[in-house]
Amino acid sequence: MFAFFNRSIAAKLLVVTGIAIGLVLILSNLVLISQTRDRVHSLTMDQADAEAKSIAREIAGDIGELASAARTMSGVIGRGHEGKSLDRLGITNILKANLEQNPFAFGSWMAEEPLAIDGQKDEIKGKLDLSANDEGYFTPYWSKNRNGEVQFSTFRADYPAEWYALAAKSGKGAITAPYMAEGTDVPTTMSSIAFPVFSGGKLIGVTGVDMSLLSLSDKLKALKPFETGRVMLVAQGAQWLVAPTDDLVMKTYEAEGADALKASLSNGTGGLVPNLVNASGEGFDRLLYPFAVPGVNATWAVIIDIPHAAINAAIEAQTMMMIVGGLIVLAAVMLTLLLAVRSLAQRPLHGLVGDVERMTKGDYESDISNQHREDEIGLVAKALNGFRHKLAESHMLAAEAETQRKAAEGERRRNEEDRNASASVQQHVVTALGSGLAQLSQGNLAHRIAEDFPGEYGALKRDFNEAVASLEQAIASVNGSVVNIAAGTSEISESAADLSKRTEQQAASLEETAAALNELTEQVHSSAENAGTAANTVSVAVKDAEKSGEVVQKAVASMHGIEQSSQEISRIIGVIDEIAFQTNLLALNAGVEAARAGEAGKGFAVVAQEVRELAQRSATAAKEIKALINASAAQVKDGVELVGEAGQTLEKISQQVMQINGLIRQISASASEQASGLKEVNAAVNQMDQVTQQNAAMVEETTAASMALRNESDTLRGLVAKFQVGGAVAPAAILRATAESMRGSYTPQAAAPRAPVYTPAPRKVAAAGGASGGADSWEEF
């Protein structure tokens, strides 16, 4: 197997490629598995958090319902006692109704402040019908038995106890830590929700409901998150309400993560205690989710244990799928590579080896295969074909020599010494020629026949050496071309990679420029819209100013009308004054005439006196009205002047607003033109960005193609290196000389900086087409 590996190029290529692909698959699978682990862990934590939130919401809802019932019961009892509508029996019935209406409640109770209900104590000690305990205090208690039936009893009023003191001292609702039920036939742990009862602003007791933790524990223990996980519950003071084992209930949480639990309960934020181990040795993570218990000023925490198996199962399945997929990909690639190597290299080379073996055996009539190929194998085949013709001519010369030998056999018999000498010379020639052919069949093109051939055998030596020299020159030319191709492809690969990086940088810069232009375009467009809005607002202001001017003009006209009306009223009042004066004269005359008439004219004199007084009052009123009209006329005149000035001011304001309107419209038009121009520039930059992205993709394709070409040239160089060429430059020297010439002739352009020119390091090509560092790699084919 090892010998086949050393002799087969295909085997070496397959092994090297398989190792490379295997390493790539292993590394990629490790990265994917790591990412999968993080993703699965994140999803698992999210699911656990959602389940904890749902459980907390359900528990809070149940406790909130009990707290609401207890709060309502406290208010009803307080108001009923204050209004004297509830006595001991009524309060006891309310407690019973509250228990029957809440199936989640275990008990309903009340404890009075000493003598606060009705002042009775000693005279009613132990009277169960009055809900009095052995000390005479009012302590009714309704609870449920094992069958779920309601039963009545009383209990001792332990005022310093938590169930009473918390609510009584704070004046608010409270919930107690878990404790064992007393005075009932159901041995269970429970927690009490208590509210103070006030009547007329005075505390008369505490009432509440008891919640059985057994039913809550059974409910949470039935939950199995992630199939093997568990759900637990702790109270405000970190006491276990639902514990991993029943013996821990009502005890303080002292397991690993106690500090994290206390911090979660105090600040109300969740936490995670990772990498814990249970009694069976299985690892798990512990999620802490605190939540507020509504209405009782308390915070509890839901604890969910998340087994590591829930995360590892998905990761193991994903890992197995990746391994199977990688093996399938590796097998497909190896099969494709095997077929390609056999088709492109192994079969043509085997054909050339067969042709050389046939020539070694003396078959010079068959043509050399693969002469139609345009690659290096075709060049080698054509060179071997020329060598075949030379060997055929040599064989013909040898046949002619044999004929001459037979013809001269008789003469040799006559001259034994001459014949023996001729046979010795011929044997020497055949031996030398056979040695040369043996070296040639082994790929040694540097071998030459140095011995002198006598006579006509000299032409055979010359033809042989010329044929080998021609073949050696062809192989050396091919080797030099391969080295130049390798150096060129290396330079192209480096340049293409450098161009790809610069193109990617240019694409990123163009993308940032396009984003900046987009933002600037949006800002200018927004400014144009704001300017348009301002122009419309100013136009409305102009119209309002014009309307105000019209109103002022109408007001001035109205003032003038009022002024004219005042003048008309003044004229009418003058007429009234004259009438009053004439009436006064007439009344005076009438009085004179009545005085002359004596007793008969007394009545008429009285009438005349009254008419005179009326005339005087009319004259006085007319004078007052005239004075008021004159004052009003002066004020109207001042109003007309002020309204006229206001009209002129509004007209000036209207003109200035119209100028502002024109300026804002010009600004709006300019902003619109700028927005339009920026949109065109933005479109051009976006187009440049797309073109640059396409160029970057083309450069990446060019880089991949140049790398593939360099690999092909390395393979060809490995094939040609199997021939020994005497007097020719070694591949390492050729590579070094090529690199020096490329370094000396290369001048970087000043237009754009680029990476340094790639200088191929001197190395030798192994027989399998790969790189090796020793001189032993120049083995014969």
Side-chain angles (χ1 to χ4, degrees), residues 359 364 367 384-395:
M359 288 190 294
Y364 307 113
D367 290 335
L384 285 177
N385 191 48
F387 180 64
R388 179 180 66 83
H389 289 297
K390 298 293 184 180
L391 290 179
E393 292 177 359
S394 299
H395 182 70

Side-chain angles (χ1 to χ4, degrees), residues 722-754:
K722 297 174 184 178
F723 292 94
Q724 295 183 4
V725 180
V729 183
I734 294 174
L735 286 171
R736 191 177 298 105
T738 303
E740 294 296 334
S741 63
M742 292 175 64
R743 185 183 297 109
S745 61
Y746 172 73
T747 302
Q749 297 180 359
R754 56 170 292 179

Side-chain angles (χ1 to χ4, degrees), residues 552 556 638-652:
V552 169
V556 171
D638 294 338
V640 170
E641 293 177 356
L642 293 175
V643 171
E645 292 176 359
Q648 294 175 359
T649 303
L650 285 174
E651 185 176 1
K652 292 179 181 180

Side-chain angles (χ1 to χ4, degrees), residues 613-636:
E613 291 178 358
L614 179 62
Q616 288 178 353
R617 287 198 301 270
S618 297
T620 303
K623 289 179 181 179
E624 293 177 355
I625 292 172
K626 185 175 182 180
L628 293 174
I629 291 299
N630 290 331
S632 176
Q635 293 176 355
V636 169

Side-chain angles (χ1 to χ4, degrees), residues 525-539 661 664-665 667-669 671-672:
H525 184 68
S526 176
S527 298
E529 290 181 351
N530 293 334
T533 303
N536 293 332
T537 304
V538 171
S539 297
N661 186 19
I664 291 178
R665 290 191 180 277
I667 292 172
S668 176
S672 298

Side-chain angles (χ1 to χ4, degrees), residues 142-185:
W142 291 97
S143 61
K144 295 179 181 179
N145 58 19
R146 297 179 182 275
N147 299 324
E149 298 174 352
V150 177
Q151 61 184 8
F152 180 74
S153 62
T154 58
F155 57 93
R156 187 176 67 87
D158 188 6
Y159 295 109
E162 186 181 22
W163 56 266
Y164 189 92
L166 285 177
K169 292 180 180 180
S170 65
K172 300 178 181 179
I175 186 169
T176 65
Y179 61 93
M180 183 63 68
E182 296 180 358
T184 65
D185 61 349

Side-chain angles (χ1 to χ4, degrees), residues 9 19 114 137 139 145 166 192 256 269 411 446 457 494 509-510 513 571 610 665 693 703 707 709 760-761:
I9 297 176
I19 293 173
Y137 293 120
T139 57
N145 58 19
L166 285 177
S192 297
E256 187 174 355
T269 58
E411 185 178 357
Y457 294 115
E494 295 295 330
S509 299
L510 281 175
T513 303
R571 186 179 61 80
E610 293 294 331
R665 290 191 180 277
Q693 295 289 346
T703 303
M707 293 298 294
L709 180 59

